């Protein structure tokens, strides 16, 4: 059974950095799409960063472009989200998700299109 486990969340002051990790177990698919998305209380889910491991293509939401970086380590079956210049608006529960195979560019940031989700890790940014 595929499991995705996020880690690395925490509390940080505005302007600080955090690195989230998503480790996959029992995940045997090679070329896949991976997504980091977030949800704050009372707000809709927002896909923030995605990567297609088949070619290393990445895609970012405008709200995080230039501040967040998604990367992969295929050997460790782990996907990372480096978050820099954090803002209070970045406060949310962050989740990772995986989808075997490809997704079109317009669907890369859509959480509902992903087959597997993790349980989330909380990120809190104080001003």
């Amino acid at each position: 059974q595929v499991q995705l486990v996020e880690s690395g969340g925490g509390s940080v002051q505005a302007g600080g950095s955090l690195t989230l990790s998503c480790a996959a177990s029992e995940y045997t698919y090679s070329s896949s799409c991976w997504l980091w998305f977030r949800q704050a209380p009372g707000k809709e889910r927002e896909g923030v960063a995605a990567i297609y491991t088949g070619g290393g293509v990445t895609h970012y939401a405008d709200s995080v472009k230039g501040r967040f970086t998604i990367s992969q380590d295929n050997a460790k079956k782990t996907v990372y989200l480096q978050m820099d210049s954090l803002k209070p608006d970045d406060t949310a529960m962050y989740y990772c998700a995986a989808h075997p195979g490809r997704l079109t560019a317009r669907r890369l940031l859509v959480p509902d299109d992903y087959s597997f989700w993790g349980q989330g890790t909380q990120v809190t940014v104080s001003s």
Side-chain angles (χ1 to χ4, degrees), residues 31-82:
S31 299
S32 299
C33 294
W34 292 82
L35 171 72
W36 284 99
F37 69 96
R38 64 189 181 187
Q39 188 165 25
K43 293 189 177 180
E44 304 234 338
R45 291 188 204 113
E46 178 190 18
V48 297
I51 186 168
Y52 172 59
T53 61
V57 175
T58 57
H59 195 63
Y60 297 93
D62 289 342
S63 58
V64 305
K65 204 169 288 183
R67 300 188 297 121
F68 289 11
T69 304
I70 188 170
S71 62
Q72 64 183 88
D73 184 329
N74 285 336
K76 294 182 179 179
K77 294 185 180 180
T78 300
V79 175
Y80 304 95
L81 184 68
Q82 174 68 39

